[in-house]
Amino acid sequence: MGSYRLLMLLGLLFVLVVLKFFVLDLMLPAEAPSGPGYQPGAHSSSSFATPGMPTLVELGTDWCGPCRTLRPVLLQLQREYAGRAEVVLLNPEKNAAAQIAYRPRVYPTLVFHNADGSVHKRLEGAPARARIVGIFKEMGIQ
């Protein structure tokens, strides 16, 4: 009888912990805060885009295998497209503003910004280099 109660308590504790995470996730804003008195800055996704220039923002972590695989490709694109497009590499685990602004569900997440700062496209996962270059061409970057 005692072990049954212990299992019931552990089950209840597990359910409470799971519910807490779901409730917290629902309470977090779906997008960056805005409204009267709010000044865009660290929490605005467009603040990570280079003003007046198309920008690719990569959200990745140090422990993520696909992120580590994609990183050299992005660094190469950073050099190749210098002056025509920016490639920004961010680690949301070390940059809370990036986590709040982009809310990545998986790593890596790639967000392509137009020159005006608006989001052109968002990709989850590690696409091939050709796919990234194709999106750059869609955006008018040669």
Side-chain angles (χ1 to χ4, degrees), residues 26 28 36 46 52-54 60 68 74 81-82 99 108 118-119 121 125 136:
L26 292 174
L28 288 173
S46 63
M53 185 173 290
R68 289 194 311 256
L74 295 174
Y81 285 87
Q99 179 71 31
S118 64
V119 175
K121 189 169 286 215
F136 278 167

Side-chain angles (χ1 to χ4, degrees), residues 105-134:
R105 295 183 299 171
V106 299
Y107 298 117
T109 295
L110 303 177
V111 182
F112 295 83
H113 290 274
N114 293 311
D116 64 2
S118 64
V119 175
H120 175 79
K121 189 169 286 215
R122 182 181 173 116
L123 299 177
E124 294 179 337
R129 182 184 191 286
R131 171 109 165 121
I132 296 170
V133 170

Side-chain angles (χ1 to χ4, degrees), residues 7-101:
L7 285 174
M8 290 297 290
L9 285 173
L10 287 174
L12 181 62
L13 180 64
F14 175 77
V15 169
L16 290 174
V17 169
V18 169
L19 283 175
K20 177 184 176 197
F21 284 112
F22 280 118
V23 170
L24 282 178
D25 189 43
L26 292 174
M27 290 172 45
L28 288 173
E31 51 190 63
S34 61
Y38 176 74
Q39 296 181 359
H43 299 296
S44 170
S45 62
S46 63
S47 70
F48 294 103
T50 303
M53 185 173 290
T55 305
L56 165 59
V57 176
E58 183 260 354
L59 302 151
T61 64
D62 299 332
W63 53 263
C64 165
C67 300
R68 289 194 311 256
T69 302
L70 187 60
R71 185 78 28 113
V73 173
L74 295 174
L75 292 173
Q76 182 184 25
L77 290 171
Q78 206 174 39
R79 289 187 299 273
E80 285 179 29
Y81 285 87
R84 296 176 286 157
E86 286 291 324
V87 178
V88 178
L89 309 175
L90 296 174
N91 183 340
E93 292 182 337
K94 296 177 181 176
N95 187 329
Q99 179 71 31
I100 291 169

